Amino acid sequence: MNIWPRIVKSVKDVLPGTIRTCIWMIKITVGVSFAMLLLKYFNILPWISDFISPVFKHFGLPGSAALAYLSGYFVNVYSAVAVFSSLDLDWRATTIIATMVLCSHSMVLETAVLKKTGASAVRMVTVRTLTALALGFILNLVLPCSGAQLSDAAAQKWTTPLGQTLLDWSLSTLKLVAIMTTVIFALNILQRVLSEFGIMDVIARLFKPLMSVLGLPANTAFLWLVANIVGLGYGAAVMLDEIGRGTLSERDVKLLDTHISVNHSNVEDLTVMAALGGSWWIMLTVRLLAAIVLVWEMRLEFLIKDRFFS
């Protein structure tokens, strides 16, 4: 069996599309990252959080948690962690705010990524935001009160000089770009090689029962695994390759996008949140259940459209 020639062919086939995807994702990532840097440096995020902090009492959270949520919403999970790790939150409050952040972090970047795969940007923003708020409200109702007093902490103004801030941002961005490029190439090559040798079909058959419960097509199993393990951005990069090859239908993509929009990166991000004191199984379970509900709701939309509007 000529294994190596088939592997080499798979790599050659995947390179052009992967390079284009990497360039696009790097442009988006650097642009969004720089914009968020300016928002934080000029103390704009704390100013915005002052307007929404009264709402957070409905989630059982202090007003200062609004800044943590906004940081995660506009920047990323680690930006939120940097804020609420400095707050005096018990396990209950940490679980609630962490769940909200995990549902709707990196909104600008991840919405751009999802839109690239064919999802509606407006729908994704709406679904992720409302799901985060709904889960925060529900968890506040059902989680037992610990009796701990939650205090507000004043936001600290950025004191690092602008030159040093830009240097630190440049170095961290270069590191992120290097990691992103490596992971995207590795995943796309792996996906193409697995397809070449029929292993993707095996994965689809093995996960078909689970995919049926989740409401997802069996052929999205590998992409679902990627998004859950390494995150939405990398999962979308592999998805773009699959879409380009015509192996996923428009509806397949929409269903998968809906699921992973609120439930992804359940290794690194979830571990970080759990390390800060949040309940990992609650954060995982409620987002998974929410994703299942959202997918089946979309399937109902498809059914109604086919039956009454086609």
Side-chain angles (χ1 to χ4, degrees):
M1 182 182 295
N2 295 324
I3 295 178
W4 284 110
R6 294 173 67 183
I7 293 177
V8 171
K9 180 180 181 300
S10 297
V11 172
K12 288 182 178 180
D13 290 343
V14 84
L15 284 181
T18 302
I19 292 173
R20 288 193 298 270
T21 299
C22 280
I23 293 173
W24 177 80
M25 289 196 67
I26 288 170
K27 288 180 179 178
I28 293 292
T29 301
V30 173
V32 171
S33 174
F34 185 71
M36 294 307 109
L37 171 72
L38 296 179
L39 283 178
K40 291 195 294 181
Y41 185 82
F42 291 105
N43 216 35
I44 297 175
L45 281 182
W47 180 74
I48 297 174
S49 72
D50 288 341
F51 288 94
I52 69 170
S53 59
V55 177
F56 275 64
K57 66 181 181 180
H58 299 294
F59 308 130
L61 297 170
S64 55
L67 178 58
Y69 178 69
L70 282 178
S71 296
Y73 191 93
F74 288 111
V75 190
N76 54 38
V77 167
Y78 288 99
S79 179
V81 167
V83 178
F84 75 72
S85 62
S86 65
L87 305 178
D88 186 20
L89 302 180
D90 60 2
W91 75 270
R92 182 180 188 275
T94 300
T95 299
I96 293 172
I97 185 63
T99 299
M100 295 173 66
V101 170
L102 288 171
C103 278
S104 56
H105 60 269
S106 306
M107 187 61 71
V108 179
L109 173 61
E110 293 189 350
T111 298
V113 170
L114 288 168
K115 187 176 185 299
K116 184 75 171 179
T117 67
S120 164
V122 174
R123 183 180 181 116
M124 288 296 96
V125 171
T126 303
V127 165
R128 297 186 70 194
T129 303
L130 292 182
T131 300
L133 298 179
L135 291 182
F137 182 77
I138 293 170
L139 287 176
N140 183 42
L141 292 178
V142 302
L143 290 182
C145 293
S146 62
Q149 296 295 319
L150 301 178
S151 59
D152 276 304
Q156 296 182 350
K157 189 174 182 180
W158 198 303
T159 57
T160 307
L162 180 59
Q164 183 63 46
T165 297
L166 291 174
L167 177 61
D168 293 342
W169 172 81
S170 299
L171 293 176
S172 63
T173 301
L174 284 174
K175 180 180 179 181
L176 175 62
V177 167
I179 294 173
M180 181 184 299
T181 302
T182 302
V183 172
I184 289 175
F185 270 93
L187 286 175
N188 278 14
I189 291 172
L190 174 63
Q191 175 269 332
R192 188 61 66 91
V193 171
L194 292 179
S195 295
E196 173 68 23
F197 290 95
I199 301 176
M200 289 284 285
D201 293 333
V202 176
I203 293 175
R205 288 195 297 270
L206 289 175
F207 281 85
K208 186 176 181 178
L210 175 60
M211 294 296 104
S212 297
V213 173
L214 299 180
L216 297 173
N219 62 346
T220 63
F222 179 76
L223 301 177
W224 178 83
L225 282 173
V226 170
N228 270 268
I229 294 173
V230 298
L232 193 155
Y234 301 125
V238 183
M239 196 187 309
L240 288 173
D241 182 64
E242 287 287 281
I243 293 171
R245 297 170 59 207
T247 58
L248 293 177
S249 69
E250 180 182 350
R251 289 191 173 183
D252 291 345
V253 174
K254 288 183 177 179
L255 290 169
L256 181 61
D257 279 343
T258 298
H259 182 103
I260 64 177
S261 67
V262 298
N263 185 46
H264 60 268
S265 194
N266 284 317
V267 176
E268 180 181 359
D269 291 352
L270 190 64
T271 300
V272 170
M273 295 300 190
L276 291 172
S279 172
W280 69 268
W281 69 269
I282 292 177
M283 293 184 286
L284 176 63
T285 302
V286 296
R287 289 186 301 117
L288 177 60
L289 291 176
I292 293 173
V293 170
L294 290 169
V295 168
W296 282 104
E297 186 278 330
M298 176 168 275
R299 281 190 169 277
L300 179 60
E301 288 184 39
F302 291 156
L303 179 63
I304 293 174
K305 182 178 179 181
D306 292 340
R307 181 161 299 182
F308 298 104
F309 299 100
S310 60

